Every structure is written in structure tokens, then in C-alpha cells.
């Protein structure tokens, strides 16, 4: 693990904070103490806390954890209602390390059209643009072509979570050589990355690739490293909600292997994260 590495997508959860009415599951205790013990074990000291959807727009759990970590080693990505949030609150959050807003359109099964997605993104972009925050999207890769068409005029940086959530073909239907360009939306993802205003997270491969060797996601990762090595960041997705007990180290070793062979380890684990999350110290 390179020195000063960042884990760019992880969560803290606790049953002591109120859940959103539509929460998909009840969390167990994974507080900031547990989180930092995990990060120490994998030799990472810098984290980006991402709001779990189970808490909706009540970011209390995340903000309390972020205050405990401090802005030198921590950043936060919150969920908001763009119609009710005020700039004073956003500025206060900025001081403690918040640098982004999340839209989870994938695991929450949000239904949208190209027109409604455009309207949604424009409302969020208007709020985060004054602070130069990141707009983070968890969205299925099959929907990225419409995202490509409507996002270039937003004037904010985008970050796509979890490899873009690709729909990989079943293992028994994969050719020995797997071409990621056969995936719906992959070319649009590459186009957005090459455009220069979009980043992607190497994270949560286990949510999309049932292959223990991760050969499907490896084909995706290697092509993305060729096309946009300076706009990729690494993340563990700890505590792997709904995948309790997962061993993340095989995925980490794969990422270190892929980035090492590409000469991009320090970029993906360190410098890209500092660029994306506005880390100047």
C-alpha cells in the first residue's frame, strides 16, 4: 500500500441514529472507531465517508464521524434535498471536510427518464457548484449513455461509484477474452472519463462479479486504466453492507496488481483522490 493512501468510499452506521422511512435494512454498529481499526489493518489512514441511503438526508452519523477524523484525514459525501438545503449549512459542512453530494439511483431503484434525470442533476449542480463540490452518482452502466448526453453542461465534477455498476454477462457465457465494450454503456463511460470532468471509483466489485478471480471486472478495470488513469480512485466500500463478513483483501491485491502493472498505483490510491476531494495538505 503506498504511503498516504485514501479509501474513497466507505460508510459508518449505527442503530443509534434515526433511519429513513424507506430504509432497505437495519444497520449494525460500524462506528468510526471500527472504521479506523479496519483502515489501520489495511494501512490506509485517509477516508471518504459516504452517506448510506438508509439515513436519507439526515447526515448526523456521517458528520459526527467526520468531525472525529478531522479534515486532514477525512472527507465526506452527503445526501441532501436541493430544494431545502441552505448555503450556510453547506459552508459549515465544507469546513469540517464535506466535498460532495451523493445520488443513489441504483440500489434504491429510483425510476427516471432522461428528462427527469437532467432536471434532477441540474438542481443538484446548482447547489454544489458554488463550493466546487463533487456530484457523486451510483447509477447503472446501462443508463450512462443518457448521463453522457445531459451531464457535459452541468459545470461540476462527477464521480461514478462502483465501476459504473456494470451488468456483466454470466460466467458460463463469457468468452475467454472479455471485451468490456460489449457492455451496455461502457463506451459512454469511457467518453465521460476522457472528457475530463468525470472520475470513477474502483470499488464494490463483489456486487457485480460473482467470479472469485474477478475476471469480468478486471477487463473493465484494465481498460479504464488505459483510458483515464488520472481520474480513477480506489475504495473498499467498507463495511460491505448486505455482504457481512466479506474479505476485501483479494480485491485490494487485484487493484494493486492492475495499477502496478499500469504504473498508476500512486495516482489511483493517492494523488487522484487528493485532486478529486480537494486535499491540499
Amino acid at each position: 500500500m503506498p504511503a498516504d493512501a485514501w479509501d474513497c468510499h466507505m460508510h459508518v452506521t449505527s442503530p443509534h441514529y434515526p433511519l429513513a422511512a424507506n430504509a432497505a435494512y437495519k444497520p449494525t454498529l460500524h462506528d468510526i472507531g471500527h472504521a479506523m481499526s479496519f483502515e489501520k489493518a489495511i494501512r490506509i489512514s485517509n477516508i471518504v465517508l459516504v452517506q448510506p441511503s438508509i439515513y436519507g438526508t439526515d447526515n448526523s452519523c456521517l458528520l459526527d464521524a467526520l468531525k472525529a477524523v478531522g479534515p486532514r484525514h477525512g472527507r465526506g459525501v452527503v445526501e441532501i434535498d436541493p430544494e431545502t438545503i441552505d448555503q450556510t449549512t453547506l459552508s459549515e459542512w465544507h469546513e469540517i471536510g464535506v466535498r460532495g453530494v451523493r445520488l443513489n439511483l441504483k440500489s434504491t431503484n429510483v425510476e427516471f427518464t432522461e428528462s427527469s434525470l437532467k432536471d434532477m442533476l441540474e438542481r443538484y449542480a446548482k447547489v454544489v457548484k458554488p463550493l466546487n463540490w463533487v456530484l457523486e452518482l451510483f447509477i447503472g452502466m446501462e443508463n450512462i449513455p443518457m448521463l453522457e448526453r445531459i451531464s457535459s453542461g452541468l459545470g461540476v465534477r462527477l464521480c461514478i461509484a462502483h465501476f459504473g455498476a456494470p451488468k456483466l454477462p454470466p460466467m458460463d457465457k463469457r468468452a475467454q477474452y472479455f471485451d468490456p465494450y460489449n457492455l451496455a454503456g461502457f463506451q459512454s463511460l469511457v467518453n465521460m472519463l476522457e472528457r475530463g470532468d468525470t472520475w470513477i471509483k474502483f470499488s464494490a466489485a463483489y456486487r457485480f462479479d460473482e467470479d472469485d478471480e474477478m475476471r469480468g471486472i478486471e477487463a473493465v478495470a484494465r481498460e479504464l486504466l488505459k483510458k483515464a488513469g488520472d481520474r480513477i480512485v480506489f475504495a473498499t466500500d467498507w463495511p460491505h453492507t448486505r455482504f457481512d463478513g466479506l474479505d476485501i483483501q483479494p480485491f485490494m491485491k487485484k487493484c494493486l496488481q492492475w495499477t502496478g502493472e499500469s504504473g498508476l498505483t500512486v495516482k489511483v490510491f493517492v494523488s487522484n483522490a487528493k485532486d478529486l476531494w480537494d486535499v491540499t495538505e
Side-chain angles (χ1 to χ4, degrees):
M1 184 63 61
D4 207 26
W6 281 78
D7 180 350
C8 288
H9 190 110
M10 45 86 68
H11 310 283
V12 287
T13 61
S14 169
H16 304 304
Y17 291 85
L19 295 176
N22 62 345
Y25 62 93
K26 292 183 178 180
T28 51
L29 182 62
H30 293 99
D31 64 16
I32 192 60
H34 298 129
M36 297 315 292
S37 293
F38 163 76
E39 299 292 354
K40 183 178 180 180
I42 62 172
R43 301 177 184 269
I44 290 180
S45 56
N46 307 296
I47 61 173
V48 179
L49 290 155
V50 177
Q51 172 76 342
S53 295
I54 54 172
Y55 294 124
T57 59
D58 183 343
N59 296 280
S60 302
C61 185
L62 181 151
L63 295 171
D64 288 347
L66 188 56
K67 290 173 186 175
V69 175
R72 181 178 178 184
H73 294 289
R75 289 290 184 263
V77 178
V78 296
E79 289 195 16
I80 63 168
D81 181 343
E83 304 303 324
T84 60
I85 196 71
D86 61 88
Q87 286 294 326
T88 299
T89 298
L90 295 176
S91 296
E92 291 172 353
W93 292 351
H94 187 90
E95 289 299 313
I96 64 172
V98 175
R99 291 296 186 274
V101 166
R102 184 192 197 203
L103 282 78
N104 183 348
L105 306 174
K106 177 67 176 176
S107 64
T108 54
N109 298 315
V110 174
E111 295 184 1
F112 54 88
T113 63
E114 187 163 334
S115 176
S116 66
L117 180 62
K118 182 175 186 292
D119 177 68
M120 185 190 313
L121 294 181
E122 286 176 345
R123 288 185 287 115
Y124 277 87
K126 183 179 179 180
V127 172
V128 303
K129 190 173 182 179
L131 292 163
N132 195 31
W133 282 7
V134 176
L135 190 55
E136 178 171 320
L137 294 169
F138 186 19
I139 186 170
M141 189 174 287
E142 68 278 8
N143 292 312
I144 290 182
M146 72 169 71
L147 180 62
E148 179 192 5
R149 290 190 291 270
I150 66 181
S151 62
S152 60
L154 293 175
V156 297
R157 292 171 298 157
L158 302 176
C159 184
I160 309 298
H162 305 337
F163 289 97
K167 287 185 176 179
L168 298 173
M171 288 178 60
D172 60 352
K173 295 184 178 179
R174 292 182 196 171
Q176 185 174 2
Y177 172 74
F178 173 65
D179 185 355
Y181 288 95
N182 290 331
L183 296 172
F186 185 78
Q187 181 64 65
S188 287
L189 175 61
V190 170
N191 294 344
M192 290 181 65
L193 293 169
E194 291 185 321
R195 195 173 67 194
D197 60 359
T198 303
W199 277 252
I200 192 161
K201 293 181 178 181
F202 276 14
S203 57
Y206 55 90
R207 298 186 186 272
F208 313 105
D209 195 346
E210 73 276 19
D211 181 359
D212 290 340
E213 295 299 318
M214 291 172 268
R215 283 166 287 201
I217 212 69
E218 177 175 351
V220 172
R222 288 190 180 279
E223 186 63 19
L224 294 177
L225 287 163
K226 290 178 185 177
K227 296 295 185 178
D230 57 351
R231 282 180 295 282
I232 298 168
V233 295
F234 166 80
T236 65
D237 193 35
W238 186 90
H240 326 299
T241 54
R242 291 185 269 191
F243 288 81
D244 292 343
L246 177 88
D247 180 6
I248 196 63
Q249 293 203 37
F251 173 66
M252 292 177 57
K253 290 176 181 177
K254 287 287 188 182
C255 287
L256 287 166
Q257 176 190 341
W258 302 331
T259 59
E261 292 172 1
S262 303
L264 294 167
T265 300
V266 173
K267 274 187 171 290
V268 171
F269 282 83
V270 185
S271 55
N272 291 351
K274 290 183 174 181
D275 182 21
L276 180 61
W277 304 115
D278 183 32
V279 178
T280 57
E281 295 182 1

